[in-house]
Amino acid sequence: MPPPSDDPLTLGQRLVAVLEGGQRVATYKLAVMVALLDLAVENVPEDPDAPVSINLDTLADRVMEGYWRQLRPLDGHDLRQSNDGRGVVFTQITRLREAVTSPRSREVPLDTAALLAPDVYADARLTIKKNLVRYPLKLLQRVGSGSYDCFLYDDSWLGTDSTRVIDAHGNSIELFPGVCHTLARLAPLVKPAFQLAWVEDVRRMNKNLLDDGPDLAHHLFGSDRISLTRPGIALADTFGNACFYCDTTLRSGRHVDHVLPWSRVGIDGLTNLVLSCPACNSSKSDILPATDLVTRALDRGRTTLDDLAESINWPSQFDRVRSAAHGLYLTQPPTTPVWLGAKSISPLGTVDIVWR
Ligand SMILES: [Zn+2]
């Protein structure tokens, strides 16, 4: 039987133990853990004690998405994400990048890359999924040597790279009862800790390159890894060139804002993007918006958003935004500050929205 995992303190302590479990030779475990935290938020069940399946293709997608933004030169240097600078995940993502970008082209979201080079993408995802099942997912809960308890999911069948075995297990891992809900609650605290450890690992793995201290955290996790110019133009053409929040007409300094904050869920899909004036953008920052702002973003309409996204070869991610909103607000205490508009912040209160 798994240990009781719905106690946030116990689960949090175990996650910290994963972070501190000796020097890592690669950043895979951190990538998997951050992906699991994001997926927990997006899969929060109505019943907090329910077990939750995490699809392994989706997990591979999220790990790829994390590295996709990161594996780009910093000040002309390719950064290592492992001690020897090699690794299956990095090779695959580099291949995909070469298939869809020329040196002069802009960065595109991973979903766009998947559309442009579907075969290379499918290959990469399968290879990466098998690698995750074989190593980091198998090793994630193992802290120190000797026996250990699984506290997130049963890992006894992992460690294989057989697609037959993976498929026989439903192509998924199952988070123990209560774990998904608790991970989602802990995510705002724990995700930054994992990202910080990730930054320190990359700094250590690239000691020779990073002496002059570029902003590595920003390079790895900043929201501007992908240019949002194209969606910005599309949004202005369709919904008008005004601030989504305060309706001011936008002249210079048009911002493209992530409605659900980038730092919380990292969704670049068009459904999560709006135009914003500089004042609203900087005032909102990383604060959760009031729920009616999120419903208003969704009320622009799935068909409209999907069609618009398709016309610029951009992901829409309507379902993902809705699921993330559901999970974010359901797991926040009523005292959580939310942003209502410029210079206006109040406690969240009780949320009883059905996210349609
Ligand atoms: Zn505004």
Side-chain angles (χ1 to χ4, degrees):
M1 273 298 286
S5 296
D6 53 354
D7 167 34
L9 189 58
T10 309
L11 193 68
Q13 285 168 337
R14 283 169 166 255
L15 291 174
V16 170
V18 167
L19 267 186
E20 293 172 343
Q23 204 171 75
R24 285 170 288 273
V25 297
T27 55
Y28 293 137
K29 272 193 198 177
L30 301 175
V32 166
M33 200 56 235
V34 169
L36 278 177
L37 287 166
D38 282 352
L39 286 169
V41 171
E42 290 172 41
N43 287 279
V44 170
E46 292 299 329
D47 171 7
D49 297 327
V52 169
S53 286
I54 300 291
N55 180 280
L56 289 169
D57 288 322
T58 310
L59 183 66
D61 281 337
R62 296 309 174 81
V63 169
M64 289 172 76
E65 199 174 65
Y67 284 122
W68 178 253
R69 299 189 198 104
Q70 296 184 353
L71 296 185
R72 191 171 81 154
L74 173 62
D75 296 347
H77 299 295
D78 287 320
L79 295 182
R80 292 177 165 196
Q81 293 251 4
S82 65
N83 278 353
D84 62 6
R86 289 199 294 268
V88 169
V89 175
F90 315 128
T91 311
Q92 291 296 324
I93 290 174
T94 304
R95 253 188 86 215
L96 181 61
R97 189 175 286 290
E98 284 166 2
V100 298
T101 53
S102 67
R104 292 180 56 199
S105 71
R106 286 247 179 75
E107 294 290 302
V108 297
L110 181 64
D111 282 24
T112 303
L115 287 174
L116 296 174
D119 296 342
V120 183
Y121 182 85
D123 262 9
R125 177 160 84 166
L126 179 61
T127 306
I128 288 170
K129 176 175 79 174
K130 290 201 288 189
N131 193 267
L132 297 181
V133 168
R134 184 148 188 206
Y135 301 111
L137 279 171
K138 177 70 179 175
L139 301 174
L140 188 65
Q141 301 168 90
R142 192 181 293 241
V143 176
S145 53
S147 66
Y148 65 101
D149 290 327
C150 292
F151 61 99
L152 298 170
Y153 52 84
D154 172 21
D155 68 11
S156 62
W157 68 273
L158 301 167
T160 178
D161 62 0
S162 153
T163 32
R164 191 180 52 76
V165 175
I166 294 172
D167 289 344
H169 286 85
N171 192 34
S172 63
I173 52 170
E174 186 169 276
L175 298 177
F176 291 134
V179 166
C180 184
H181 193 269
T182 307
L183 281 182
R185 283 178 68 193
L186 288 171
L189 299 171
V190 174
K191 188 173 160 183
F194 274 82
Q195 290 178 330
L196 194 62
W198 197 334
V199 170
E200 289 314 310
D201 279 6
V202 172
R203 197 176 290 288
R204 176 170 52 77
M205 290 162 187
N206 297 277
K207 256 192 236 123
N208 51 333
L209 300 178
L210 298 174
D211 288 346
D212 49 353
D215 188 347
L216 191 55
H218 187 74
H219 179 77
L220 296 178
F221 301 112
S223 64
D224 55 355
R225 306 290 301 125
I226 304 277
S227 165
L228 300 177
T229 308
R230 269 195 307 143
I233 293 167
L235 289 170
D237 287 349
T238 306
F239 302 109
N241 191 33
C243 175
F244 175 79
Y245 302 112
C246 72
D247 210 29
T248 304
T249 302
L250 299 169
R251 294 186 176 85
S252 59
R254 180 167 77 193
H255 291 252
V256 178
D257 185 58
H258 294 86
V259 180
L260 298 177
W262 170 264
S263 60
R264 298 292 287 271
V265 286
I267 302 176
D268 271 328
L270 196 68
T271 305
N272 197 36
L273 300 179
V274 296
L275 298 181
S276 164
C277 70
C280 286
N281 190 252
S282 75
S283 154
K284 177 169 172 273
S285 186
D286 288 338
I287 309 167
L288 271 186
T291 50
D292 64 335
L293 295 172
V294 184
T295 37
R296 193 146 67 76
L298 291 169
D299 284 347
R300 291 177 294 174
R302 177 199 287 265
T303 314
T304 308
L305 290 163
D306 286 356
D307 289 350
L308 187 59
E310 197 184 337
S311 74
I312 58 166
N313 233 347
W314 197 268
S316 170
Q317 297 176 330
F318 190 94
D319 287 328
R320 188 166 159 190
V321 172
R322 194 181 46 185
S323 307
H326 169 85
L328 277 175
Y329 292 102
L330 194 66
T331 53
Q332 295 308 301
T335 50
T336 304
V338 294
W339 187 84
L340 309 176
K343 295 181 183 154
S344 176
I345 288 172
S346 79
L348 172 63
T350 308
V351 176
D352 53 0
I353 295 176
V354 180
W355 297 95
R356 292 182 199 286

